[in-house]
Amino acid sequence: MILLNPNYWDCECESDYIHKKVETNHCVKCDTYEEDQPDSRQEEIDAI
């Protein structure tokens, strides 16, 4: 089972793709927005 964290989102970058929703809703590197992207996997958040 995949556990997602609703406080983080993933952009489309190859690295540094996990963002805190309270800090930003746009990734300037890949020009994606939080509303169009999935929530982050908890296991990936725990690994950083």
Side-chain angles (χ1 to χ4, degrees), residues 9 11 13 16 19 24-33:
W9 65 281
C11 69
C13 292
D16 300 323
H19 302 277
T24 186
N25 69 344
H26 178 245
C27 178
V28 295
K29 292 180 187 176
C30 65
D31 196 32
T32 57
Y33 289 87

Side-chain angles (χ1 to χ4, degrees), residues 12-45:
E12 295 181 0
C13 292
E14 292 292 322
S15 62
D16 300 323
Y17 54 85
I18 298 174
H19 302 277
K20 287 184 181 180
K21 289 184 179 182
V22 295
E23 291 181 0
T24 186
N25 69 344
H26 178 245
C27 178
V28 295
K29 292 180 187 176
C30 65
D31 196 32
T32 57
Y33 289 87
E34 176 258 319
E35 63 191 33
D36 300 322
Q37 299 299 115
D39 289 343
S40 300
R41 292 180 177 204
Q42 186 62 51
E43 64 189 43
E44 293 179 341
I45 295 167

